[in-house]
Amino acid sequence: MGQESLPPKWMIRDGRPAGLCPDIFTAMEKAEPRLKFKGQDDFRSVPQIEQGLQSGAVGAACALLDSERRRKVAHMSGKLYLVRHRLAAASSDKVNVESIDELVRLKPLVTTSRGAAYTDQLRVLGLEVDDSTGDNLINMKKILAGHGRFVYMNELTLAWLIRENKLSDKVRLLPAVLKEEPIFFWISRKTDPEAARLMNAALMKLKANGELGRIYERWAGERAAP
């Protein structure tokens, strides 16, 4: 399954799956021709992807953060890249937040994507979080309407959404990186062991020959902050 509303990790271009994760799947198929992936055009929420991993209906998931829930239903198969968490706010809001501690002291309502691993992390800190939708463009519109003060998300997607939806005069990306952590490829615990072995081997090849890094840089190169 693809992940809804998370460009440039997952997108549809010219009627076909495009983005960082579809490129990773394509590269894995080239590295190991016995692998054939499908379902990349079926965009779902993170909770639905996790349910699929648990049932075995989804054999693999691309680029999800580490969480207790995911470790229970899938095997972590190597780090793909690092994500940097930042905040977006309405352009009229001139506040600067330099750290998670400052964010906690402000006690704002924060919007996040439904099912995001960092949602629970923010709530544990005492923050009020609205994760009622997986549509991150709607989350942008929420802060413009005054429902929530910040959108908390990875900087790659935040910058992409602001730029591609021509929101740079309405939404600004705050400069501080609040957290940096690795993101992983996941293989369902119910996936056929031979298929799992082939996926692990393909990912190792892509990491060793530098292709994983090149795929990330190809998409991250378009992320310049608005």
Side-chain angles (χ1 to χ4, degrees), residues 3 45-47 50 64 70 112-119 131 133-134:
Q3 190 175 345
S45 68
V46 170
E50 290 173 338
L64 295 177
R70 290 164 199 167
T112 66
S113 183
R114 182 172 54 207
Y118 44 72
T119 299
D131 64 340
T133 180

Side-chain angles (χ1 to χ4, degrees), residues 119-139:
T119 299
D120 287 341
Q121 298 170 15
L122 295 173
R123 286 182 172 138
V124 166
L125 295 172
L127 289 164
E128 183 182 0
V129 179
D130 174 6
D131 64 340
S132 59
T133 180
D135 188 327
N136 290 306
L137 183 56
I138 288 180
N139 282 330

Side-chain angles (χ1 to χ4, degrees), residues 38-163:
K38 61 182 180 180
Q40 297 99 309
D41 57 350
D42 183 10
F43 286 15
R44 302 295 183 96
S45 68
V46 170
Q48 288 175 302
I49 294 171
E50 290 173 338
Q51 289 167 11
L53 289 169
Q54 181 175 11
S55 70
V58 173
C62 174
L64 295 177
L65 294 170
D66 188 11
S67 75
E68 183 178 350
R69 161 74 168 150
R70 290 164 199 167
R71 285 175 178 260
K72 288 179 179 178
V73 301
H75 297 289
M76 184 189 294
S77 181
K79 181 181 77 175
L80 298 179
Y81 54 91
L82 289 175
V83 293
R84 292 149 53 100
H85 302 312
R86 291 170 65 180
L87 297 172
S91 295
S92 58
D93 188 343
K94 303 306 181 184
V95 67
N96 271 323
V97 180
E98 298 294 334
S99 67
I100 284 287
D101 288 342
E102 284 189 24
L103 182 64
V104 171
R105 285 196 293 272
L106 283 174
K107 299 186 183 300
L109 173 60
V110 178
T111 67
T112 66
S113 183
R114 182 172 54 207
Y118 44 72
T119 299
D120 287 341
Q121 298 170 15
L122 295 173
R123 286 182 172 138
V124 166
L125 295 172
L127 289 164
E128 183 182 0
V129 179
D130 174 6
D131 64 340
S132 59
T133 180
D135 188 327
N136 290 306
L137 183 56
I138 288 180
N139 282 330
M140 294 278 187
K141 292 177 179 178
K142 282 183 178 181
I143 62 170
L144 291 175
H147 180 79
R149 189 169 186 182
F150 303 111
V151 179
Y152 183 104
M153 199 184 305
N154 76 82
E155 69 172 357
L156 190 60
T157 297
L158 281 174
W160 189 280
L161 287 170
I162 293 170
R163 183 177 57 252

